[in-house]
Every structure is written in structure tokens, then in C-alpha cells.
Amino acid sequence: MSDTSTSKAALSRDIALYTVARFGTVAAVAALLVLVNVPLLVALLVALVVALPASLVIFKGLRVRVATGLAEAGERRRAERAAFRAELRGEAEAGT
């Protein structure tokens, strides 16, 4: 149980870091464009178009960690669901 809560905490942290990093990239690009006298709305739109795809490359390691964590969590949920359904059917647990 401790391992599960640790992996959930790590996944939550990674998702939060990745989200903040992507929004930070958009904010940084928009700020640079505003500094060169581009209107704010135009700067935000250009920043979205440029920074979000660029952040896929820039933050590849973090993106891979998030994807791996989500895949592991999905597999864990599928295994738990299968064990629960087997228990409901009255079958012996395969894990013990």
C-alpha cells in the first residue's frame, strides 16, 4: 500500500511540474513578445502556438515520466478491477 501511495504522489508531482512548466513556457514566450511591443493578445496566441509544441521537445523527460506513471496507474487499476470481479464471481484469487 505504501508503494502505491508513493507512486501516486510521484505521479501527481510530475503532472503538476509538467503543467507548470508548459504554462511557464507560454508565459515566458508571451513576455518576450510583449517586450518587443507585440500586443498582449497577439503575444499570447503566438506563444500558445509556439511554446506548447516546443515544450513537448524541451520537457521530453518529464513528459515520458508522466506517460509512464499514467500507464502504470492504468495497469494497476485494471489488475485491481480484474481481481475484484473475480472475487465477485466467487473465484479464488490468482495472486495468493
Side-chain angles (χ1 to χ4, degrees), residues 73-95:
E75 184 59 37
R76 189 171 43 252
R77 281 193 309 270
R78 279 188 289 280
E80 290 172 357
R81 187 179 316 122
F84 180 66
R85 287 181 178 168
E87 187 177 333
L88 286 176
R89 287 189 303 265
E91 299 173 2
E93 287 187 12

Side-chain angles (χ1 to χ4, degrees), residues 44-93:
L44 284 173
L45 291 175
V46 170
L48 282 172
V49 170
V50 172
L52 290 180
S55 67
L56 290 174
V57 175
I58 296 169
F59 303 116
K60 181 181 180 183
L62 191 53
R63 181 176 50 85
V64 168
R65 279 195 339 228
V66 168
T68 303
L70 288 173
E72 289 172 356
E75 184 59 37
R76 189 171 43 252
R77 281 193 309 270
R78 279 188 289 280
E80 290 172 357
R81 187 179 316 122
F84 180 66
R85 287 181 178 168
E87 187 177 333
L88 286 176
R89 287 189 303 265
E91 299 173 2
E93 287 187 12

